[in-house]
Amino acid sequence: MKIFGFQIPSVFSLLIWAGVWEVIGQLEWVFIFPPLSGVLIELWDLVGTNAFHKASISTLKSFCYGMFFAITGGVSLGFFMGRVDAANKLLGMWVNIFASAPLSSLVPVLILLFGLGQTTIIVTVVLFAIWIITLDTLAGIKHVSPSLIEMGQSFGASRWNLLYKILFWAALPEILAGIRMGFIRAVKGVIIGQLLVSIIDFGQMFATFSRNLYMEEFWALTLVLFVFALGISSLIGEMEKRVEYYAGVRD
Amino acid sequence: MAIAEQNTIPLAAPTFSDNNIVEVKGVSKFYEPDIQALLDINLGFPKGQMTTLLGPSGCGKTTLLKIIAGLLEPTEGDVFVNGQLVTGPGPERAFVFQDFALMPWATVLRNVSFGLELRGMAKDERYEIARRYITNVGLEGFGEKYPHELSGGMRQRVGLARAMAVDADVLMMDEPFSAVDEQTRRQFQEDLLNLLSIEKKTVLFVTHSIEEAVYVSDQIVLLSPRPGRINKTVRPDIDHAASSDEIRRGKNYLDSVEEIWHELKGYLE
Ligand SMILES: Nc1ncnc2c1ncn2[C@@H]1O[C@H](COP(=O)(O)OP(=O)(O)OP(=O)(O)O)[C@@H](O)[C@H]1O
Ligand SMILES: [Mg+2]
């Protein structure tokens, strides 16, 4: 962000927006924007409550289970499509559709199938995250230089060796990029899932807050989830940096 | 790999001797019904010698090398190595790649020992062998470096060390020096010849450079434009005991270069 030609560090731009929020809140223009200070105080209280702890743990569980299935499933599917042309032809279109479709509209169907519980949330997370992981893994596999594969074959690599000694490492930068985007989508998935199920965890809290117009609590919870999503994304970004050194020099 | 007997009319009666470690018999290759890369190749590669495939771009040199390596299946014909029918890659053959084909996530040491790793050799043992070849190709002290920290010429030395480390009888090199500069290339040619004089390998070499072919080869096979056929075999008969300058000024060297240039010029018309 630039003001009068000066480069403002992003921390400051964050502070400026916080200030704007506070002022709007204090002016009491719109009731859905309470002052930021109030939200932060509420946040402090909220984080201490039992309900919050329970919801956090349960959400984290859904998230981790979901991501586990999304990563194992997405990476395997990407490998499979990358190595078997017929599979790619058969599934490619569907994976692409799912990767860009508005999946929230499917959650009600999931509720019908899996009920109003954690299973639905986990399936939602998988559904949100798996396709982008599949696509990125596929791109990574397709990107592996043919001569690296021939090298493996010519030195007698078995199919399995080729897979985990060459293809996996060669595709790792793309796989990690996919997982990072998968994580961000999974955060969306877990929140949307909970909102729509709305009788458990954060979904229930959100439902209560917005039904009763507890705007400070509502924003406090939103902030927490937002920070959580950012934290995860930058964590994976760090991991990606560690393989970046060879992502650029591969070709 | 079915052989269609009726359609195969040998252009020249193939002559094979026990001396040949690799024998190519009636090999043709179609990539698609209308893309024929090779036409009835009959060729023997004498044991312990360096044979170079030379020909215009797209004449099927890489294709032939990959068929011998067992990386590609011929449409017709067979390849024998040590009298055994080739059905895939084997431990008696090792490939040096034009683009090096090094694993960027692995150190030089691991790259060089990779062929041995795939054979299940214990770590200490394979690293010891790899270190020896790293020294032999002139990369002593670079074992812990990563490929992107090396120059192109050094990377190809890694590729060469990897191929030597598995102790294959036959080394196959597809334009190994095309990605390095001329100076490095000449140095490399001499180092290669020195190494080979100690290790006694059979080398199948592909290059675009007539001078390089004549300088390093015992036998040069000229291929015609696509579909590749064998047009001529030239034996430069160069005494590699002589110095590089003497060789390049010698009569045999110059005559062979001239003869090959004359032949290749014919394809341009
Ligand atoms: N996978 C493929 N599919 C279709 N055609 C191919 C394929 N690979 C090679 N060809 C064709 O077969 C012919 C021989 O190719 P090859 O790579 O063996 O030639 P080359 O002699 O090695 O050429 P260069 O000197 O340029 O390396 C070329 O005309 C090429 O276009
Ligand atoms: Mg070629």
Side-chain angles (χ1 to χ4, degrees):
Chain A
M1 192 163 129
K2 278 187 175 183
I3 290 181
F4 305 127
F6 288 104
Q7 185 62 44
I8 313 289
S10 51
V11 185
F12 285 113
S13 83
L14 214 60
L15 284 178
I16 290 170
W17 285 113
V20 172
W21 182 348
E22 180 68 23
V23 169
I24 292 177
Q26 294 291 355
L27 290 176
E28 293 183 23
W29 276 350
V30 263
F31 81 96
I32 66 161
F33 283 122
L36 181 62
S37 50
V39 171
L40 290 179
I41 291 166
E42 197 50 56
L43 195 152
W44 186 251
D45 290 344
L46 184 74
V47 169
T49 61
N50 227 342
F52 182 83
H53 288 167
K54 262 183 65 190
S56 300
I57 289 169
S58 163
T59 303
L60 208 61
K61 257 192 190 160
S62 311
F63 186 80
C64 291
Y65 281 130
M67 268 323 276
F68 172 76
F69 291 122
I71 291 174
T72 45
V75 171
S76 319
L77 190 59
F79 262 89
F80 182 56
M81 287 167 64
R83 294 298 286 166
V84 182
D85 262 344
N88 194 7
K89 287 212 180 82
L90 199 68
L91 301 170
M93 190 181 76
W94 294 106
V95 173
N96 269 298
I97 288 177
F98 276 119
S100 51
L103 292 169
S104 334
S105 54
L106 284 181
V107 176
V109 181
L110 297 181
I111 293 175
L112 281 181
L113 286 173
F114 301 104
L116 286 164
Q118 205 178 19
T119 317
T120 300
I121 313 273
I122 294 174
V123 175
T124 308
V125 171
V126 175
L127 205 61
F128 268 66
I130 193 169
W131 311 114
I132 190 72
I133 298 177
T134 305
L135 284 182
D136 272 29
T137 305
L138 173 63
I141 297 289
K142 288 282 178 201
H143 209 100
V144 179
S145 108
S147 76
L148 213 50
I149 295 172
E150 281 174 351
M151 186 278 289
Q153 287 168 341
S154 79
F155 284 106
S158 60
R159 277 182 150 255
W160 173 243
N161 271 335
L162 202 64
L163 217 68
Y164 89 101
K165 283 189 195 260
I166 295 180
L167 289 171
F168 173 76
W169 293 99
L172 192 57
E174 279 89 354
I175 294 176
L176 281 183
I179 290 178
R180 183 165 54 92
M181 290 203 268
F183 261 103
I184 294 165
R185 292 186 175 202
V187 173
K188 270 200 225 161
V190 84
I191 292 169
I192 289 175
Q194 289 189 359
L195 285 179
L196 293 179
V197 171
S198 85
I199 60 161
I200 56 169
D201 307 336
F202 290 132
Q204 190 198 17
M205 294 170 81
F206 265 123
T208 318
F209 297 158
S210 55
R211 200 164 41 241
N212 300 314
L213 303 180
Y214 295 162
M215 280 305 139
E216 286 173 346
E217 286 88 340
F218 179 88
W219 284 111
L221 191 53
T222 308
L223 271 185
V224 169
L225 296 176
F226 187 69
V227 168
F228 173 69
L230 270 184
I232 281 193
S233 159
S234 56
L235 204 72
I236 309 228
E238 280 303 309
M239 273 164 70
E240 271 181 81
K241 266 191 208 141
R242 307 183 83 191
V243 295
E244 230 167 38
Y245 74 90
Y246 76 75
V249 292
R250 276 177 307 175
D251 316 295
Chain B
M1 276 191 249
I3 304 176
E5 307 276 355
Q6 313 91 307
N7 299 338
T8 319
I9 306 154
L11 291 179
T15 49
F16 294 112
S17 68
D18 297 339
N19 204 15
N20 290 340
I21 186 165
V22 177
E23 291 189 347
V24 177
K25 296 188 178 175
V27 163
S28 296
K29 175 72 185 177
F30 285 88
Y31 277 107
E32 273 151 48
D34 56 337
I35 303 183
Q36 179 161 29
L38 295 171
L39 175 64
D40 192 33
I41 301 287
N42 289 285
L43 194 56
F45 294 87
K47 195 171 193 140
Q49 295 195 3
M50 183 137 172
T51 303
T52 295
L53 304 173
L54 194 65
S57 199
C59 73
K61 304 180 293 291
T62 300
T63 305
L64 181 55
L65 216 56
K66 281 186 184 170
I67 288 174
I68 296 170
L71 293 169
L72 269 181
E73 268 193 34
T75 314
E76 273 175 31
D78 291 310
V79 175
F80 297 87
V81 176
N82 285 324
Q84 299 272 313
L85 181 66
V86 165
T87 54
E92 72 290 340
R93 284 159 287 152
F95 213 101
V96 178
F97 293 83
Q98 180 173 8
D99 62 356
F100 320 137
L102 302 179
M103 301 180 292
W105 56 87
T107 60
V108 168
L109 189 59
R110 170 135 194 263
N111 266 295
V112 172
S113 62
F114 191 64
L116 300 171
E117 180 181 335
L118 290 174
R119 289 182 191 180
M121 187 184 278
K123 198 170 193 166
D124 291 346
E125 202 181 340
R126 65 175 192 255
Y127 277 6
E128 193 188 315
I129 295 174
R131 279 200 197 90
R132 196 163 73 232
Y133 282 99
I134 289 172
T135 307
N136 284 354
V137 299
L139 286 180
E140 195 165 10
F142 286 92
E144 299 307 319
K145 292 261 190 269
Y146 285 84
H148 69 271
E149 300 174 292
L150 307 179
S151 70
M154 290 160 92
R155 285 184 213 176
Q156 192 54 295
R157 285 169 191 269
V158 177
L160 181 62
R162 176 177 60 195
M164 303 279 258
V166 294
D167 197 25
D169 302 325
V170 182
L171 276 186
M172 287 173 283
M173 309 181 140
D174 190 2
E175 300 188 41
F177 307 147
S178 66
V180 305
D181 61 60
E182 185 62 28
Q183 247 174 305
T184 317
R185 191 175 178 134
R186 290 210 173 182
Q187 184 62 48
F188 214 139
Q189 291 164 6
E190 287 183 26
D191 292 353
L192 179 64
L193 289 175
N194 284 337
L195 265 177
L196 293 174
S197 66
I198 304 164
E199 294 265 343
K200 296 284 175 240
K201 306 272 183 203
T202 307
V203 182
L204 281 54
F205 195 83
V206 169
T207 179
H208 270 136
S209 157
I210 300 176
E211 283 82 5
E212 179 167 279
V214 176
Y215 186 72
V216 299
S217 320
D218 299 298
Q219 162 181 297
I220 298 163
V221 176
L222 293 178
L223 294 171
S224 71
R226 206 181 86 193
R229 275 154 296 147
I230 295 175
N231 240 9
K232 193 167 193 177
T233 305
V234 178
R235 302 192 129 264
D237 202 15
I238 280 168
D239 173 21
H240 283 290
S243 80
S244 120
D245 283 344
E246 279 166 358
I247 292 175
R248 285 184 213 275
R249 277 194 302 253
K251 183 172 184 311
N252 286 354
Y253 175 85
L254 294 171
D255 284 353
S256 300
V257 170
E258 190 53 38
E259 183 182 356
I260 293 169
W261 170 230
H262 202 78
E263 193 71 32
L264 292 182
K265 216 162 46 177
Y267 301 150
L268 298 174
E269 277 136 31

